[in-house]
Amino acid sequence: MASQEQLSAIKRAKVLMVGAGGIGCELLKTLALSGFQDIHIDIEHCSSVEAIVELVIDMDTIEVSNLNRQFLFRQSHVGQSKAKVARDAVLRFRPNISITPYHANVKESSFNVDFFKEFDVVLNGLDNLDARRHVNRLCLAADIPLVESGTTGFLGQVTVHLKGKTECYECQPKPVPKTYPVCTITSTPSKFVHCIVWAKDLLFAKLFGDKNQENDLNVRSSDTANSSEHSEDVFECRKDEDIERYGRRIYDHVFGHNIEVALSNEETWKNRNKPRPIYSKDVLPEEQTKENGNEEKGCAADDVSAMVSLSLKNPQDIWSLVENSRVFLEALSLFFLKREKDIGNLTFDKDDQLAVEFVTAAANIRASSFGIPLHSLFEAKGIAGNIVHAVATTNAIIAGLIVIEAIKVLQKDNNNYRMTYCLEHPSRKLLLMPVEPYEPNRSCYVCSETPLLLEVNTQRSKLWDFVEKIIKAKLGMNFPLIMQGASILYEVGEDLEEDMVAIYAANLEKALSELPSPVTSGSVLTVEDLQQEFSCSINIKHREEFDEEKEPDGMLLSGWVEAPVDKDNNKPIGNDESTSNDLPSVETLEGEKDDEIQETSEVVETFAGKKRKLSEVSEVTAPDPSGPSSINQNKPKKLDIDDEDDELIISDDWESLTKKKKL
Amino acid sequence: MDGEELTEQETALYDRQIRVWGADAQRRLSKSHILVCGMKGTVAEFCKNIVLAGVGSVTLVDDRIVTDESLSANFLILPHENQYNGKTLAEVCCDSLKEFNPMVHVAVETGDISTFGVEFFEKFDAVIISCCSLGKKKLINQKCRKLSKRVAFYTVECRGSCGEMFVDLQDYKYSKKKLEETIECQIEYPSFEEAISVPWRALPRRVSKLYFAMRVIEQFEDVEGRNPGETTTADLLGVVKLRKELCETNSLDESQIPDALLERLLTDTREFPPVCAIIGGILGQEVIKAISGKGDPLKNFFFFDAMDGKGLIEDISGPSTRS
C-alpha cells in the first residue's frame, strides 16, 4: 500500500508513457490504480481528488491478435487508435485521471526536448529498438529519468536510467537481428529461415512487388550475362499465357532450373550437401483441375485463400511437398486472377493470408530441395512476420515492476533503483531478480560522447552509404547533420535553401574522398541529430579491402558497442510485439524467427556482458556518503528482511543464467 | 469449445500465446473450469489473465457488497452509482470480466463454499482462494484433495508491498522436452496444512522471512478471530508476543522475523496495485501451466516484497515431499 509520502509524490507527478500495447495497457491500468486510494462511490466527492497526469503516445491501431493481452481493447475497437481507446477504457474505472492520448509516432519532431522536459518520468512500453534509442537520447538531453522495459513470452525486464547516475539505455550493447549474406539466401541455405527470406524478399518481391526494385533472385544462380537478359523475361507472365502454365513455369525455373545451374558450380558443393532440383511435372503430374473452385461467389479479394481452395484446414499442419506445391501454384493463381491490381506493388504483410501461404509454400519447396525440414504455415508466418510470442501475465508482472520503479523515481529514492529481470526458470529460487543499476559506461558514445572509429574505403564508399548504413541504421539518427570541421557535408531540414538541398543531394552521390571537404584517413566527422540533441564524433580510417561476407557494408564501425550476433543464442528478452528472439518456445521451434537481408532496427535485449556494478565502484573509489552524486551504496536502505547473504547478483551468475535458458 | 481443433476465431485471437505454449495447451485451457473465491485486487488481476488466456469457464465467489475500499485496487469495479445497489463483488466483477473474452463463460456462485460438499469442487480443475481465514483455507484444500480427480489448489494474499502465493498440485505428473527428448516429471505437493506444519527448524536455512512473518500474522488473526487483513499497528505488541512463543517452540531466532516486517504487514493491509499485478501475473502463469500440463510448476510458495524487489520461490515441505 502506498505510504503517504508515496501518494503525494504520485499525485503531483506528470508521467509520459510511450506505447499503449501489451505492456502499455497493463501499465496504464496499474498506474491509474496506484494514483489514489481514497476514491469514493459518491461522484461529487471523487472530483476533489487530485490525480496523476499522464500522456500516452502510440502510433498503432488495434488488431485482433492484440486482444489476447491488450485487455483495454475489444473486438469492436479493431482499427482504432490504441492510445485513444486505452485512455477511454481507463477512464471508466478512474474517471478523474487526466490522460492525454497521442496517436502519433514518438519520433515526430513535435516530441522534442522541451516536450520531454515537462515530465517527471518517462515510461517506455515500446516494441522496437529504434524508438527506444530515440527516447533514450531525448531523456538524456532533457535530463528526465527513463524506465525501460521489454517482454517476450515468459521473459521480461525493467531497467531504470538516470543521466549521469546509471547506464543509459544504450550503454549496453543491444544485439541486432541476424542478417544473412546474400549468397546464403540465394545459393546455399542451410536453415529454414534462409528459405523464408528467399521466398519473402526475393521470390515474392520479384513476382508481386515493385518491378523496379533490384532483386538478387538470379544473382549467382545463373552464370552469364546472356541469361540475365533472359531472366528478366522469365518472371513476367506472357501475354495469353495460361495462369497455371505460368505458375508451373515459375516453379520449374526457381526450383528446377536455378538449382541445376547452381549445381553446375562444383566448388560450392565441395563441403555441402547438394540440393536437388524439383520440377512440377514430377511432383504434380496432372494438370490441376479446379475442383474446389476459386470461383466461389462473393469471395472478396481480401479473403482469397489457397488453403481454403484446397481444403487445407489446419495452419499447424506441416504440408507435404505435394501439398506445398499445390499451395504454391494455387496461391500464385489466385494472386493473378483475384488480386491483379495488387501485383506490382505488394510488400509482404504477415496479415495477408495469401501472401503468407505463398511464402510458406515457396520456402518449404526450397527447403525440401535442400534437405531442410519443412514447417507449418503457423511457424512460417511467425518467422516471416517477425512475430513475437506474447502473453498477458508477463506484461502484467512487468507493469507492476515498472510502477514500483516509477514511484521510487518520483520520490527520488536514489539508492533503491533496481533493474528487475523476470525469468521463466528460477535462478537461486528467484523468479523476479532485482539487480542494482550500473554506473554509466564511460565509452558509451551516446551518454559519454566518446568518439567512434569508422574504417571505410574513402575512395569507393559514397556519402550515401555512410548516411544510410552508419548514421541511420547503426547510430539511429533520423535527421542527421554531418560536418567536417566547419563544413557541413550533409543535413536535412525543412527550412533549407534550394541550392543547399541540391548540394547535399549531390554530395550523397560522391565518394567520401571527393566531397567538397574531402573525407580521408584521419578525418574527424561530427554527426548530430538536432531533434535528439545528440552528437558524436567519428574518426575516419581508410581501408582498401573488406570481407564481402563478414563486412557486407564495406564499412566497419567500432567503439559503437555491438553485441556479438551468435547463431544459436537464446539469451535475449524481447520487446512486446517486436522482433522475436531466439528463445526456444515451448514447442521447441527452431526459434529462428525474423530476418531480412537488410538490417531492421527491431531488437531484443540481452543481459550478457561485463559491467561494473555500482557496488564495485564503491570499493574502488572511497565512497563519500555525503556526496550528492554518488550512488555507491552497496546495501539498500534499512530493509530488515535483507539477509546477510542476499547479494543481489554477481556477474558470474550471468553465465549460468543464460545457460539455463538455452534449454 | 467442442471439437478437437481450435476454431478460426480462437486461432486468430490466441495466435501470440499459442506461439508460447502451443495449440494443444490452448485446447486444454479452453476445456478448463476455474473457481475463484475472494474478489480483491490480486484476484481481479488473476481473473483478467485467465479469461484472456481462454479458459473454459471462471466461477466467482464473493458475496460481500461493493464498498469504497473494493475500488482501491480492483479495476473490474467501475465507479458508477448504478453499478451498486447491493450488488456483490462477484456480480460486478463478473460483468467486467465477460467483456475481456466472449469465449469464456464467467459466472457467479453464492454462499460460503467451505460449507459446500466435496462434489461441488469436482466441477473444477483449479480452485483459487483469497481473503480467507486459516481454517477456511485448510478446509477447502482438504475438499480438493478428497476428490479422485486432481483439483489444483491455490491461495493468494497481498498486504501492502508484500504478496504470498501457495500452490498444491497434489501428485503432479507432466512431461517436458529437454534437449531432444521428452522426459517425464513428477512432483509431490503437500497440502497447505501439511506445509505450514513443517517445523521451522526443519526447513532449509534462509527461508524467506516473509514466510515466517505471514505465519505469525495468520496465527494471530486465527486466534483473535479476525478477518484476514483486519489488523492495525496496535496489534504489534500482541503479534510480537506470539512471535516469541512460536520462535521458542520452533527453535528459531526471533531476528528471523523482524519487527519492522511485522509492522508493515499489520498496518499496510490494503493491496498495492503493482503488487497485485505481479502476484496476479505469477498466479496466472502457474494456473495456466498446471492446466495445460506445460512448463515446470513452482513449488510451493511464492513471495514478493516490493521493498527488495525479489520474487522468490520457497519449497516448504516435509522430507517426504521435498524436491
Side-chain angles (χ1 to χ4, degrees):
Chain A
M1 166 65 179
S3 66
Q4 277 313 307
E5 295 157 8
Q6 284 175 331
L7 266 179
S8 47
I10 297 168
K11 282 182 182 178
R12 281 172 283 133
K14 236 188 138 186
V15 176
L16 174 65
M17 261 184 55
V18 190
I23 294 178
C25 284
E26 294 284 346
L27 181 55
L28 193 55
K29 168 261 300 167
T30 304
L31 219 43
L33 285 177
S34 307
F36 51 98
Q37 316 297 322
D38 293 324
I39 187 166
H40 296 270
I41 300 169
D42 174 3
I43 299 288
E44 283 155 23
H45 208 109
C46 263
S47 56
S48 68
V49 178
E50 285 171 64
I52 55 174
V53 175
E54 291 170 38
L55 244 99
V56 183
I57 303 176
D58 193 305
M59 58 188 250
D60 283 344
T61 53
I62 298 162
E63 297 175 16
V64 169
S65 62
N66 297 150
L67 302 176
N68 80 321
R69 63 205 182 281
Q70 299 175 26
F71 70 97
L72 298 177
F73 312 143
R74 305 278 169 266
Q75 183 72 42
S76 57
H77 294 134
V78 172
Q80 296 181 35
S81 150
K82 286 189 180 182
K84 292 181 184 166
V85 177
R87 185 270 314 259
D88 292 341
V90 171
L91 286 178
R92 288 175 74 202
F93 60 89
R94 282 295 182 269
N96 288 341
I97 281 194
S98 162
I99 303 177
T100 312
Y102 284 82
H103 180 49
N105 188 333
V106 71
K107 284 158 68 174
E108 278 170 29
S109 52
S110 44
F111 303 123
N112 56 19
V113 178
D114 288 334
F115 174 85
F116 273 77
K117 278 191 174 148
E118 295 285 311
F119 298 96
D120 297 301
V121 67
V122 176
L123 309 177
N124 270 357
L126 285 167
D127 63 4
N128 67 91
L129 179 67
D130 205 44
R132 285 170 143 123
R133 292 165 82 184
H134 186 89
V135 173
N136 179 51
R137 292 167 187 191
L138 283 160
C139 287
L140 286 168
D143 200 2
I144 299 294
L146 169 65
V147 182
E148 253 292 354
S149 62
T151 63
T152 296
F154 292 124
L155 301 181
Q157 83 277 332
V158 175
T159 54
V160 183
H161 306 278
L162 282 95
K163 179 175 181 172
K165 298 202 180 94
T166 71
E167 286 184 324
C168 81
Y169 177 72
E170 294 179 81
C171 279
Q172 271 198 54
K174 303 289 181 285
V176 177
K178 290 195 284 291
T179 56
Y180 299 102
V182 174
C183 52
T184 306
I185 303 301
T186 57
S187 316
T188 52
S190 54
K191 296 181 179 170
F192 187 69
V193 59
H194 303 153
C195 303
I196 287 283
V197 177
W198 176 89
K200 183 173 78 145
D201 293 332
L202 293 184
L203 187 61
F204 182 87
K206 187 80 177 177
L207 289 171
F208 308 114
D210 185 356
K211 303 266 189 273
N212 296 323
Q213 280 270 24
E214 267 179 43
N215 191 302
D216 289 318
L217 192 53
N218 280 344
V219 166
R220 295 172 216 187
S221 47
S222 63
D223 45 356
T224 65
N226 251 348
S227 22
S228 71
E229 276 169 40
H230 177 68
S231 71
E232 271 309 274
D233 292 337
V234 165
F235 291 98
E236 286 289 324
C237 186
R238 297 177 190 136
K239 263 196 148 187
D240 301 332
E241 185 176 21
D242 174 59
I243 285 299
E244 180 166 352
R245 274 261 65 81
Y246 170 63
R248 283 176 178 261
R249 185 161 65 72
I250 298 295
Y251 186 110
D252 291 340
H253 182 78
V254 297
F255 300 123
H257 173 262
N258 279 357
I259 302 294
E260 303 230 22
V261 169
L263 282 169
S264 67
N265 184 348
E266 292 284 332
E267 197 55 41
T268 317
W269 309 108
K270 252 192 168 160
N271 298 318
R272 294 187 178 99
N273 291 331
K274 291 183 178 179
R276 58 178 186 112
I278 304 179
Y279 289 95
S280 58
K281 64 174 166 47
D282 302 321
V283 179
L284 295 170
E286 313 91 41
E287 295 278 329
Q288 228 177 303
T289 49
K290 301 192 167 52
E291 328 163 335
N292 305 27
N294 36 16
E295 321 287 349
E296 278 161 40
K297 297 160 277 256
C299 190
D302 297 341
D303 295 342
V304 156
S305 157
M307 278 175 70
V308 168
S309 207
L310 298 167
S311 296
L312 289 167
K313 297 246 163 63
N314 190 352
Q316 305 255 348
D317 285 338
I318 299 182
W319 303 324
S320 63
L321 176 60
V322 169
E323 286 167 330
N324 275 299
S325 302
R326 287 214 171 100
V327 173
F328 179 90
L329 293 172
E330 181 69 7
L332 196 145
S333 283
L334 287 172
F335 266 116
F336 278 89
L337 293 174
K338 300 274 177 180
R339 292 178 54 180
E340 226 182 315
K341 58 173 166 49
D342 289 337
I343 296 178
N345 42 34
L346 276 176
T347 42
F348 179 81
D349 177 358
K350 67 183 187 306
D351 297 312
D352 180 343
Q353 176 67 15
L354 197 59
V356 173
E357 290 170 354
F358 179 83
V359 166
T360 301
N364 273 332
I365 300 167
R366 185 167 176 82
S368 176
S369 178
F370 282 85
I372 298 168
L374 274 52
H375 286 63
S376 67
L377 180 115
F378 180 78
E379 291 165 334
K381 177 176 169 180
I383 300 171
N386 301 335
I387 296 179
V388 176
H389 44 295
V391 294
T393 49
T394 319
N395 289 333
I397 293 165
I398 292 303
L401 294 169
I402 294 171
V403 174
I404 289 170
E405 292 307 312
I407 291 173
K408 289 179 198 171
V409 165
L410 294 171
Q411 291 183 279
K412 303 206 189 337
D413 191 4
N414 289 339
N415 298 328
N416 285 326
Y417 301 131
R418 295 284 175 268
M419 320 227 281
T420 311
Y421 297 94
C422 176
L423 308 175
E424 185 174 356
H425 304 285
S427 168
R428 302 202 307 178
K429 302 195 299 186
L430 290 173
L431 273 183
L432 298 179
M433 181 183 283
V435 179
E436 279 184 51
Y438 291 82
E439 58 160 11
N441 179 357
R442 275 184 251 272
S443 343
C444 173
Y445 76 101
V446 178
C447 69
S448 305
E449 300 188 1
T450 308
L452 297 166
L453 174 68
L454 180 71
E455 289 168 74
V456 59
N457 186 321
T458 55
Q459 284 148 5
R460 239 198 334 235
S461 294
K462 298 193 277 189
L463 186 62
W464 183 91
D465 297 311
F466 177 68
V467 171
E468 291 302 311
K469 296 175 187 172
I470 302 294
I471 303 303
K472 289 185 180 170
K474 289 216 157 76
L475 299 184
M477 294 194 201
N478 307 308
F479 302 111
L481 167 76
I482 306 174
M483 295 173 39
Q484 181 169 215
S487 308
I488 302 180
L489 298 172
Y490 181 74
E491 63 177 323
V492 281
E494 284 163 358
D495 44 1
L496 295 176
E497 287 165 23
E498 268 191 46
D499 50 348
M500 295 312 295
V501 174
I503 292 175
Y504 297 140
N507 282 355
L508 284 177
E509 292 307 311
K510 296 192 171 128
L512 293 172
S513 54
E514 274 150 34
L515 289 165
S517 170
V519 174
T520 55
S521 217
S523 288
V524 179
L525 299 181
T526 309
V527 191
E528 280 180 30
D529 183 315
L530 293 172
Q531 195 201 351
Q532 295 171 358
E533 288 205 9
F534 165 56
S535 82
C536 74
S537 39
I538 305 183
N539 298 330
I540 304 291
K541 181 172 163 197
H542 174 85
R543 179 153 54 111
E544 272 301 311
E545 295 301 328
F546 288 83
D547 185 318
E548 250 187 58
E549 279 209 31
K550 291 185 197 139
E551 298 160 327
D553 291 336
M555 291 180 277
L556 185 66
L557 187 69
S558 30
W560 169 67
V561 205
E562 182 174 16
V565 178
D566 13 6
K567 313 285 175 232
D568 298 292
N569 90 346
N570 292 311
K571 284 175 280 217
I573 290 175
N575 319 311
D576 184 38
E577 255 350 271
S578 85
T579 304
S580 62
N581 44 51
D582 297 342
L583 286 168
S585 73
V586 179
E587 281 190 310
T588 64
L589 275 181
E590 251 310 291
E592 296 212 62
K593 319 213 175 188
D594 177 10
D595 293 289
E596 332 246 25
I597 297 181
Q598 292 87 29
E599 280 177 26
T600 59
S601 54
E602 293 160 349
V603 245
V604 298
E605 295 246 39
T606 182
F607 42 75
K610 314 279 172 254
K611 340 153 229 197
R612 277 179 13 129
K613 282 180 59 199
L614 295 178
S615 45
E616 287 168 32
V617 171
S618 71
E619 277 143 31
V620 170
T621 63
D624 177 6
S626 59
S629 58
S630 71
I631 28 172
N632 295 338
Q633 306 304 322
N634 198 4
K635 288 190 169 35
K637 265 200 308 223
K638 293 331 92 252
L639 299 179
D640 292 325
I641 45 178
D642 213 14
D643 286 333
E644 324 71 310
D645 69 317
D646 282 350
E647 316 121 40
L648 289 177
I649 285 296
I650 34 188
S651 42
D652 308 324
D653 279 350
W654 295 126
E655 272 80 278
S656 58
L657 248 187
T658 52
K659 273 186 191 118
K660 267 201 176 167
K661 292 204 265 100
K662 275 180 180 157
L663 280 177
Chain B
M1 309 294 314
D2 303 303
E4 279 313 309
E5 312 259 327
L6 294 169
T7 65
E8 236 182 87
Q9 192 186 6
E10 286 174 308
T11 316
L13 178 62
Y14 299 137
D15 183 272
R16 300 300 186 263
Q17 66 201 38
I18 292 175
R19 291 176 192 281
V20 177
W21 52 61
D24 275 341
Q26 189 63 50
R27 272 187 284 269
R28 261 171 255 139
L29 279 171
S30 71
K31 297 191 177 103
S32 65
H33 304 286
I34 319 290
L35 176 68
V36 178
C37 177
M39 298 305 304
K40 287 209 329 183
T42 312
V43 172
E45 283 279 343
F46 165 73
C47 289
K48 173 252 301 163
N49 292 333
I50 57 164
V51 167
L52 289 174
V55 294
S57 78
V58 182
T59 304
L60 310 177
V61 180
D62 199 323
D63 293 335
R64 293 177 292 182
I65 305 298
V66 178
T67 62
D68 295 354
E69 195 174 315
S70 335
L71 282 152
S72 66
N74 189 334
F75 65 97
L76 298 177
I77 304 179
L78 313 178
H80 291 298
E81 286 183 62
N82 54 17
Q83 281 283 354
Y84 315 129
N85 307 325
K87 271 195 174 184
T88 66
L89 277 172
E91 285 166 346
V92 173
C93 292
C94 180
D95 293 338
S96 295
L97 281 169
K98 281 180 173 156
E99 288 188 21
F100 294 143
N101 188 345
M103 292 193 273
V104 177
H105 180 70
V106 189
V108 170
E109 185 70 54
T110 53
D112 179 357
I113 60 169
S114 58
T115 64
F116 291 3
V118 160
E119 62 290 345
F120 169 76
F121 295 90
E122 192 157 25
K123 293 187 276 191
F124 303 102
D125 301 291
V127 171
I128 291 87
I129 60 175
S130 183
C131 322
C132 264
S133 67
L134 177 59
K136 201 165 161 183
K137 275 182 197 168
K138 292 183 195 173
L139 196 53
I140 296 174
N141 193 185
Q142 280 314 312
K143 292 190 201 245
C144 292
R145 288 187 142 237
K146 283 208 178 95
L147 294 161
S148 51
K149 167 189 182 187
R150 183 176 53 81
V151 177
F153 173 81
Y154 302 81
T155 71
V156 70
E157 213 69 57
C158 289
R159 305 169 80 118
S161 33
C162 298
E164 172 186 81
M165 188 190 114
F166 167 80
V167 184
D168 175 12
L169 300 180
Q170 298 169 40
D171 191 9
Y172 185 69
K173 295 187 183 68
Y174 65 109
S175 56
K176 67 178 183 184
K177 287 207 172 92
K178 195 158 180 161
L179 303 172
E180 290 303 318
E181 17 166 77
T182 309
I183 58 174
E184 297 295 319
C185 305
Q186 179 174 5
I187 312 180
E188 262 191 71
Y189 287 75
S191 71
F192 187 76
E193 185 159 16
E194 286 165 355
I196 63 175
S197 312
V198 173
W200 293 354
R201 65 182 160 276
L203 292 172
R205 302 188 125 256
R206 302 198 187 122
V207 160
S208 169
K209 290 170 174 152
L210 194 44
Y211 170 73
F212 300 117
M214 292 293 275
R215 302 285 78 72
V216 173
I217 305 235
E218 188 177 65
Q219 270 255 52
F220 179 81
E221 285 172 348
D222 192 40
V223 161
E224 300 287 314
R226 306 275 185 90
N227 284 324
E230 226 177 40
T231 55
T232 65
T233 328
D235 294 316
L236 186 58
L237 272 170
V239 168
V240 162
K241 184 156 164 277
L242 179 60
R243 174 189 71 190
K244 191 164 145 70
E245 288 166 23
L246 290 171
C247 285
E248 267 164 26
T249 323
N250 281 283
S251 311
L252 188 76
D253 195 307
E254 276 192 84
S255 66
Q256 286 297 321
I257 315 178
D259 285 12
L261 176 58
L262 287 172
E263 186 163 9
R264 270 202 290 144
L265 292 170
L266 286 170
T267 15
D268 300 339
T269 55
R270 282 216 275 190
E271 289 179 305
F272 184 38
V275 175
C276 297
I278 291 165
I279 301 289
I282 299 280
L283 178 60
Q285 265 168 215
E286 287 305 309
V287 171
I288 289 169
K289 278 194 246 178
I291 305 263
S292 66
K294 264 213 150 133
D296 300 314
L298 75 82
K299 179 191 176 199
N300 55 346
F301 276 90
F302 176 81
F303 294 101
F304 178 75
D305 187 343
M307 286 278 282
D308 65 11
K310 292 183 187 171
L312 55 72
I313 299 173
E314 293 289 2
D315 184 350
I316 311 288
S317 43
S320 57
T321 47
R322 187 155 321 144
S323 308

